[in-house]
Amino acid sequence: MESAILNDIIIIFGISIFVLYICNKLHISIIVGFLVTGILVGPYGLGFIDNPDDINILAEIGIVLLLFTIGVELSLKELWNMKRSVVLGGGLQVFFTTLGTLFAATYLGFGFSESLFLGFLISLSSTAIVLKTLQKRAELHSLHGRTILSILLFQDVIVVAMIVATPFLAGVGGNDANSIFMILLKSLAIIIFIMFFARWLIPHILYHITKTRNPELFLLSVIVICLSIAMLTYSAGLSLALGAFLAGLVISESEYSHQALNNILPFKNVFLSIFFVSIGMLLNVQFFLDNPLMILLVTIGVMLFKGIVSGFVSMVLGYPLRNSILTGMALAQVGEFSFVLSKFGVEYGLLDNYLYQMFLDISILTMAVTSFSISYSPSVAANIIKLPLPHKLKCGFARKDVTKMHDKKEKMSSHLIIVGFGFNGKSVAKAAKAAGIPYLVIETNPESVREGLSKGENIFYGDATQEGVLEQADIDSAKIMIVGISDATATRRVIWLARKMNPNIHIIARTRYLQEMGPLYEQGANEVIPEEFETSVEIFVRLLRRYLVPEDQIKKFIEDARGGGYEMFRSVSSDPLNFEQMQFDIPDVNIVSLRVPLRADEVGMTLEDLSLRQRFGITVLAIRRGLETITNPGGDVRILEGDILVLLGSHEDMKEIGDFFTDLSKKNTKRTEE
């Protein structure tokens, strides 16, 4: 028996390696890869595994660990901060999708319980596939990325309630009011007990376990807590999954949640991969071959329906049409949690074999095309926006106090336009206000607009990728535009449109990655500031200062690097000073090195003659002269051309002496030119 299970696992993971490699080349999600692996090894494929019962046991463990990690990762504080998007956005998406599926399935002749359960299945989207794709495209922090994340968070939580409700839909939990009341009362009692257990006992237990500094003991304790609470809920007539989720919440509220999650993730990934393989093993390929047209039509219908509902919900939240289209196309698939839920549907008789096979085929197809759907969504959005649609439709259904156009008393000119009111936009607006520069902010997030208006900002709601919005911002007479949004595709569109509407405007764009610089310049940007590159420059500059490389050499590095001289990363200061043993973390004290300019009047003077301590409050720690280092030099030591002085002093004193050496360099340059 044991050798049979081991043989099955070897077959599953061996074939998975090959399948996942192909999926990676085709940019297809690994979840689809595991499903395909199950199809290949299962009884409907090559038949390597005839009896999937043993595999199903491992798959059940995968479900438990999955729900446990959801609970651990769930931050109640984060949910509260995003409550409007999560509760309203996610709630409306699940409600409308479930309701629409319920009506459609009932019309086709299915019973109420089966139709409602199908609504549950269709309403869920793939958190793993969508977030991973957005992360690869660097769109997770964009406006539509945050909207998608909020809806997915709600789905991840509501699936637990769906699992709990499944027995009631099947009539297993009891249909009479007394039975339902008793189960709800029992559930509430268990939840209160677990929360009390979590608040007073588990942190105390984990504290003493972590004091042993034994990682194996900590891991075993976390697993026992997870399985014990899961068994407690199961023995009370509820599901293992609910108990695992509550166990995760128990751990998440403690200071040990990060370590617990880190320890359990490898086990979850292994068992969850087996779960998806077990799902694939149940898929009958012959069923698809017998009904290809119907399955494809239903798949298209599901994706269109989910996309429209998700996009509509985004507009209800007040987001513009472009953001809504991107959101809808990203959430159009059926998700991995639907597979988890479907197992319960089969167990309780809500899905017969025909419905189950139809569901599996549709789900796999929708998940397989998700990455392509997200990739093409910006192009689709751009083409739809070009259509002669009403302005209200393009701007979403935000409140009137946000969507009303900026009330300008007169046309603005020579002003600054700031696109995006995130951290960068707020910083630029603050600087512009301090300098007395007239500016106008365009923002697509209604909450950010409301916040800006409450603080007296010159801001209005609108999508800068639309020509009418830029017209309202007086783009034709603007002097400078700052584009500081996180959406690379939208940034390119804004730059192209602004350049077309005002050929003389100076456009400064911010981007995350170096590879975006070329496309932005091609669209008409005058300056592009890549965060990736600027961060690397800043890190390297600080590194050079720690090694006491002269400031003039550091400045040259910065100039050459920003001008395209990346060789400087490899060639600057091939023989740096070695002061690793020096103490740098002294408050209000700084150590820098400055080079004595060539042909300076001070060359040949002694340190006593320079009187650096008396004039600037600076102490000379050492002098670097070629390969020689003079430590703790006396007052009679003379300064020679090209000497590097290692100086100690306060930050203010360092600024003064830095200006002094800069003046020496300028005098030398002027003398050389004359």
Side-chain angles (χ1 to χ4, degrees):
M1 180 67 178
E2 291 80 2
S3 61
I5 296 177
L6 180 60
N7 182 65
D8 291 346
I9 292 176
I10 292 174
I11 292 173
I12 287 172
F13 288 132
I15 295 181
S16 293
I17 294 173
F18 173 75
V19 174
L20 293 182
Y21 179 80
I22 299 298
C23 289
N24 182 68
K25 291 294 184 181
L26 297 176
H27 303 289
I28 297 175
S29 169
I30 61 170
I31 294 177
V32 177
F34 283 124
L35 293 169
V36 172
T37 301
I39 295 172
L40 292 176
V41 304
Y44 298 111
L46 300 177
F48 291 146
I49 301 177
D50 295 325
N51 184 13
D53 292 339
D54 297 331
I55 300 300
N56 288 336
I57 295 175
L58 300 178
E60 290 289 340
I61 299 176
I63 296 174
V64 169
L65 294 179
L66 172 63
L67 270 296
F68 176 73
T69 55
I70 291 174
V72 175
E73 291 176 320
L74 185 62
S75 169
L76 297 178
K77 182 179 179 181
E78 180 182 354
L79 282 177
W80 179 255
N81 292 335
M82 302 171 63
K83 55 184 179 296
R84 183 176 180 271
S85 297
V86 172
V87 177
L88 181 59
L92 288 177
Q93 186 272 334
V94 170
F95 174 76
F96 285 131
T97 307
T98 302
L99 188 64
T101 306
L102 172 65
F103 286 151
T106 304
Y107 177 78
L108 293 174
F110 294 100
F112 176 81
S113 296
E114 291 83 358
S115 300
L116 183 58
F117 187 76
L118 286 174
F120 288 169
L121 295 178
I122 299 300
S123 67
L124 303 176
S125 302
S126 176
T127 302
I129 296 177
V130 173
L131 294 188
K132 188 173 183 180
T133 304
L134 291 178
Q135 192 173 31
K136 282 185 177 181
R137 294 171 57 84
E139 295 178 0
L140 198 55
H141 299 286
S142 63
L143 181 61
H144 66 274
R146 295 195 300 271
T147 308
I148 292 167
L149 176 61
S150 300
I151 294 175
L152 289 173
L153 277 175
F154 182 86
Q155 292 179 2
D156 291 350
V157 175
I158 202 65
V159 70
V160 181
M162 292 177 177
I163 292 173
V164 173
T166 300
F168 294 100
L169 289 178
V172 177
N175 291 324
D176 61 291
N178 290 331
S179 176
I180 295 175
F181 176 76
M182 289 303 298
I183 291 177
L184 290 177
L185 188 63
K186 187 189 299 185
S187 303
L188 181 62
I190 290 176
I191 292 174
I192 292 174
F193 172 75
I194 291 174
M195 291 298 104
F196 176 82
F197 189 65
R199 178 67 180 85
W200 299 106
L201 187 58
I202 286 184
H204 188 69
I205 294 173
L206 291 179
Y207 169 73
H208 287 285
I209 289 174
T210 53
K211 282 178 65 177
T212 65
R213 299 183 181 275
N214 188 322
E216 290 80 9
L217 181 59
F218 181 81
L219 173 61
L220 289 175
S221 302
V222 170
I223 292 176
V224 168
I225 291 172
C226 170
L227 297 181
S228 298
I229 296 178
M231 285 303 300
L232 178 63
T233 57
Y234 183 74
S235 62
L238 303 174
S239 67
L240 285 170
L242 175 61
F245 176 75
L246 292 175
L249 280 180
V250 166
I251 300 295
S252 71
E253 294 304 311
S254 71
E255 60 269 34
Y256 312 107
S257 58
H258 297 294
Q259 185 61 43
L261 182 62
N262 182 66
N263 287 352
I264 212 73
L265 275 179
F267 295 93
K268 185 208 79 170
N269 292 334
V270 170
F271 285 106
L272 197 58
S273 64
I274 294 176
F275 166 73
F276 287 118
V277 171
S278 70
I279 293 294
M281 292 171 63
L282 299 174
L283 190 142
N284 189 344
V285 179
Q286 189 61 44
F287 180 85
F288 176 79
L289 296 177
D290 292 339
N291 308 279
L293 183 60
M294 181 181 64
I295 291 173
L296 289 175
L297 288 175
V298 175
T299 300
I300 295 172
V302 167
M303 295 193 71
L304 284 175
F305 172 62
K306 288 198 68 177
I308 292 172
V309 169
S310 300
F312 173 75
V313 167
S314 175
M315 298 187 73
V316 170
L317 291 174
Y319 300 128
L321 181 60
R322 182 181 183 277
N323 181 84
S324 302
I325 294 171
L326 299 182
T327 300
M329 293 186 68
L331 296 175
Q333 76 290 129
V334 178
E336 59 271 5
F337 285 117
S338 296
F339 291 124
V340 177
L341 189 59
S342 69
K343 296 281 283 187
F344 292 93
V346 173
E347 179 183 347
Y348 290 108
L350 290 171
L351 293 178
D352 57 23
N353 184 62
Y354 179 86
L355 267 181
Y356 190 53
Q357 290 298 325
M358 178 70 72
F359 162 74
L360 291 178
D361 287 336
I362 293 170
S363 302
I364 293 174
L365 287 175
T366 60
M367 295 172 76
V369 301
T370 294
S371 59
F372 303 103
S373 174
I374 294 176
S375 298
Y376 286 105
S377 59
S379 300
V380 174
N383 290 326
I384 293 177
I385 289 175
K386 292 178 183 177
L387 299 176
L389 301 174
H391 177 76
K392 184 66 177 179
L393 181 61
K394 289 188 176 184
C395 289
F397 306 129
R399 282 169 35 179
K400 290 183 178 180
D401 63 334
V402 172
T403 57
K404 64 180 181 181
M405 282 299 176
H406 181 63
D407 185 17
K408 301 188 297 289
K409 294 182 179 179
E410 57 184 19
K411 182 180 176 66
M412 299 183 71
S413 62
S414 298
H415 59 291
L416 166 67
I417 297 177
I418 303 172
V419 180
F421 201 56
F423 176 78
N424 292 310
K426 291 178 181 177
S427 301
V428 173
K430 185 177 181 180
K433 183 181 293 185
I437 299 173
Y439 69 92
L440 185 62
V441 182
I442 306 174
E443 172 59 52
T444 56
N445 189 334
E447 297 301 320
S448 298
V449 174
R450 190 173 294 117
E451 177 190 352
L453 290 173
S454 66
K455 296 180 179 179
E457 291 289 348
N458 201 17
I459 183 173
F460 75 90
Y461 172 88
D463 185 355
T465 63
Q466 299 178 22
E467 187 170 343
V469 173
L470 291 183
E471 287 178 352
Q472 288 289 331
D474 294 326
I475 183 71
D476 58 329
S477 58
K479 186 175 183 179
I480 299 175
M481 171 183 277
I482 305 290
V483 186
I485 54 180
S486 300
D487 188 340
T489 305
T491 300
R492 291 196 292 269
R493 165 75 180 174
V494 171
I495 292 173
W496 173 81
L497 194 58
R499 178 62 64 207
K500 184 186 76 168
M501 299 176 69
N502 184 352
N504 299 319
I505 193 172
H506 188 88
I507 302 175
I508 303 174
R510 157 249 186 181
T511 184
R512 287 183 176 270
Y513 302 109
L514 286 171
Q515 61 263 32
E516 279 295 321
M517 294 180 68
L520 295 182
Y521 280 124
E522 291 175 2
Q523 297 300 328
N526 298 96
E527 299 179 53
V528 179
I529 303 174
E531 292 181 2
E532 181 182 39
F533 178 61
E534 289 299 323
T535 301
S536 67
V537 170
E538 181 64 23
I539 291 173
F540 206 76
V541 166
R542 296 193 182 197
L543 171 68
L544 296 179
R545 283 178 177 151
R546 285 289 178 175
Y547 278 101
L548 301 178
V549 175
E551 287 294 322
D552 62 332
Q553 199 167 350
I554 294 176
K555 290 179 181 178
K556 186 175 186 302
F557 156 74
I558 296 173
E559 293 172 359
D560 289 350
R562 286 177 174 158
Y566 296 102
E567 309 80 33
M568 294 297 295
F569 280 106
R570 299 185 295 272
S571 62
V572 171
S573 189
S574 58
D575 185 24
L577 293 172
N578 187 11
F579 287 92
E580 293 90 344
Q581 304 303 320
M582 299 179 69
Q583 298 296 320
F584 295 99
D585 297 325
I586 306 174
D588 300 325
V589 173
N590 200 8
I591 300 176
V592 300
S593 56
L594 295 172
R595 188 188 302 274
V596 177
L598 302 177
R599 298 177 58 188
D601 294 337
E602 285 72 15
V603 170
M605 297 176 63
T606 64
L607 291 178
E608 185 176 0
D609 295 334
L610 286 176
S611 303
L612 296 180
R613 181 185 290 276
Q614 290 75 17
R615 297 167 62 185
F616 302 103
I618 295 295
T619 299
V620 181
L621 297 179
I623 300 176
R624 179 69 181 271
R625 182 174 294 162
L627 299 178
E628 178 188 5
T629 300
I630 305 173
T631 58
N632 194 24
D636 58 341
V637 176
R638 295 187 179 277
I639 301 299
L640 303 182
E641 289 184 342
D643 279 354
I644 297 175
L645 306 184
V646 182
L647 309 174
L648 172 70
S650 68
H651 296 287
E652 293 181 359
D653 294 337
M654 286 301 179
K655 183 179 183 307
E656 291 185 18
I657 197 169
D659 295 339
F660 171 70
F661 272 77
T662 301
D663 292 339
L664 293 182
S665 299
K666 290 180 179 178
K667 290 179 182 178
N668 179 38
T669 302
K670 184 176 181 181
R671 186 183 298 116
T672 302
E673 292 174 351
E674 292 175 350

